[in-house]
Every structure is written in structure tokens, then in C-alpha cells.
Amino acid sequence: MNRLLAATAFLLLCACARQEPTPAPVTPPPPVTEAAPAPVAAPPTALNETEQATHSQESGDAEAEHTPGDASLEQMAGAPPATPLPPGKWQPGVNYKLLVPAQPTSVAPGKVELLEVFWLACPHCYALEPFLQGWLKKKPGYVEFVRVPVIWQSMHRSHAHLYYTLEVLGRPDLIAAVFSDIAQQHVNLTSPDEDESLKLQQKWASAHGVSADEFAKAYNSFSVNTDMRRAEELTNRYHVQGVPFIVVNGKYTTDVAQAGGEAQLIDLISDLSAAEHGH
């Protein structure tokens, strides 16, 4: 029993799961399947974003806003099939899973795509961030890192909109800043009302040197709208149930819990990437 409780606690600490929000759970909420999403009310406005994440375990089934019928793994045109790593410290089905069928990637031939699905208000994504950033500074040249914000509910959609707006503005420093401000300062940058979310984000951006007009122009740009549609499609295509969620070259998925920790996850994605490149 003690081992079971310890294992459960470890999994809860390792990922922000997609499940029904429960403001003050006494016991862990039951798992939610994609086949039966349960509509629920928006989290109480009295809670800040980090508190909402802690109480709800960053759940996303409250709004099944759009699930394209052609976005399932089974219906997508596949890439060459995945094969397990040679026997060793990583076990398929335990430390990582093989995608069947393998999915096409968005990188050039000869490159290996490392895709992270994340959420700006997820404390577990924030905990992984220094490990990822350290690895990205020394990663092999054949690895191309692609980051996609998860889109489950309106709150996640609002954060995704902010992320892509900062990308269009060419301000990666502000992406790091918003991660930190939400996690450390409990800054609120979303609202159930989209116009109010925009105002909150403009105010935050203005405090970081971006004018409200400049921010709004990027926010409403064609590029951001296109990226938002793609993020939603990828969230559905990969059936993302928790973040941070890693996909290596459209063939393997893994996360912190499966790998055994943040440092182990970095080792695992390095090995999977090398195997995909023929090393």
C-alpha cells in the first residue's frame, strides 16, 4: 500500500493531467477518457492560475471545443514505422511508447523533430524548463526543437494565444518571463472573456516593453491564428492527456513520469533522437 501511494504521488508531481477540474478534491478525481468528456463549470475566479493548476491537475476535458475527425492517429498518413531501442535501460511500453502509425513531422529531411506539448501555467512544465533549456544549448545539430502549447479548455487556449503572439513579436525572452511570472508571481493573464484576456496580456506586455498596439497587431495576425489551429490539431492528433508531453520524430512519446524524472527524460530523448538519426 505504501508503495502504491508513493507511486501515485510521483505521477501527480510529474505531469499536468487532462481530467475533470475539481476545485478542492479530498480524493484524486476519477480518470477521464476522451470518449466521454464531462462538461464542467470554469474554475472559480478567486483562484489564480497556479492555484487552478494545482487544484485541477491542469485538466482539459471541460471543453471539447473542436476535435477534427481527420486528426486521429489512425487516420493520418503515417511516416516510416517506429522500432524499439535496442535492449538496455529504456523499455518500450514503460519508459516510452511507440506511435502506431508513425506521424509526419514538420522538419526538413535528415532532421529529427523533438516536439514538446506544454502549458505556460503548468508547474511541471516550468520544472522541466531548465533541463530542456540546458539540453537545447548542447543538442546535436540534427535535432530540431518544436514547441506546441496544449489546447484543452479556454484557459489553455488563451495561454496558447499569448505564446504564439510573443513568438510573432520575436521575443523569446518574454516567453521565459511569462513562464516565470505565472509560476513565481502568480500573475493572471487569462479570463473566460477573450477581450478581457487580451487586455490582461496587453497590460503585461506593456510592462515588458511591448506597446499595446504592437501586441494587438501580432495577437490578431494570420500567423498566430494559423499556429493556434495547428496547436489544437496536434493536441487532438496525439491524444494529449497530460503535459509536458514529448514526441520524438513522430514515432515515440514519453514524459517525465515514464522516464523516471526530468534528468532521465533528457537522457531518453537524447537516445531516441540519436537512434532516429542512425547513431
Side-chain angles (χ1 to χ4, degrees), residues 5-23:
L5 291 174
T8 301
F10 176 75
L11 290 174
L12 288 175
L13 289 172
C14 284
C16 303
R18 179 180 185 176
Q19 61 190 29
E20 182 177 351
T22 305

Side-chain angles (χ1 to χ4, degrees), residues 79-80 104-113 141-144 249 276-277:
T105 66
S106 61
V107 299
K111 296 284 188 177
V112 173
E113 181 186 76
Y142 58 78
V143 175
E144 187 165 330
N249 221 32
E276 274 298 285
H277 198 249

Side-chain angles (χ1 to χ4, degrees), residues 18 34 66-68 70-73 76 99 103-106 113-118 146-152 164 226-243 245 247 250 253:
R18 179 180 185 176
E34 288 191 55
H66 177 60
T67 305
D70 61 349
S72 70
L73 292 174
M76 291 294 295
L99 277 172
Q103 296 299 292
T105 66
S106 61
E113 181 186 76
L114 176 68
L115 185 147
E116 181 205 17
V117 185
F118 76 107
V146 177
R147 181 167 251 178
V148 176
V150 72
I151 296 183
W152 287 325
Y164 283 126
T226 299
D227 287 338
M228 290 285 290
R229 288 193 296 271
R230 179 174 177 270
E232 185 170 22
E233 191 274 334
L234 287 173
T235 297
N236 289 314
R237 184 201 301 182
Y238 287 117
H239 305 301
V240 179
Q241 295 297 310
V243 290
F245 179 77
V247 184
T253 68

Side-chain angles (χ1 to χ4, degrees), residues 112-193:
V112 173
E113 181 186 76
L114 176 68
L115 185 147
E116 181 205 17
V117 185
F118 76 107
W119 177 30
L120 283 172
C122 170
H124 314 293
C125 299
Y126 183 68
L128 177 62
E129 189 68 4
F131 292 89
L132 262 181
Q133 293 302 321
W135 181 73
L136 289 172
K137 292 176 181 177
K138 58 183 180 181
K139 71 173 180 63
Y142 58 78
V143 175
E144 187 165 330
F145 182 56
V146 177
R147 181 167 251 178
V148 176
V150 72
I151 296 183
W152 287 325
Q153 305 176 48
S154 59
M155 178 166 50
H156 306 95
R157 179 181 298 279
S158 181
H159 280 135
H161 212 146
L162 171 59
Y163 170 77
Y164 283 126
T165 298
L166 296 178
E167 273 211 328
V168 165
L169 289 169
R171 295 296 302 272
D173 58 311
L174 293 189
I175 293 172
V178 74
F179 239 140
S180 178
D181 283 357
I182 292 174
Q184 299 296 328
Q185 307 299 324
H186 311 303
V187 174
N188 178 35
L189 296 172
T190 67
S191 166
D193 180 77

Side-chain angles (χ1 to χ4, degrees), residues 38-105:
V40 297
T45 56
L47 299 180
N48 62 46
E49 292 174 358
T50 302
E51 289 170 335
Q52 290 172 18
T54 301
H55 283 293
S56 71
Q57 286 301 308
E58 293 72 47
S59 59
D61 279 346
E63 298 178 10
E65 296 177 344
H66 177 60
T67 305
D70 61 349
S72 70
L73 292 174
E74 293 77 12
Q75 295 176 354
M76 291 294 295
T83 57
L85 291 176
K89 61 180 179 179
W90 308 120
Q91 301 300 318
V94 177
N95 304 119
Y96 64 95
K97 296 176 182 177
L98 280 68
L99 277 172
V100 180
Q103 296 299 292
T105 66

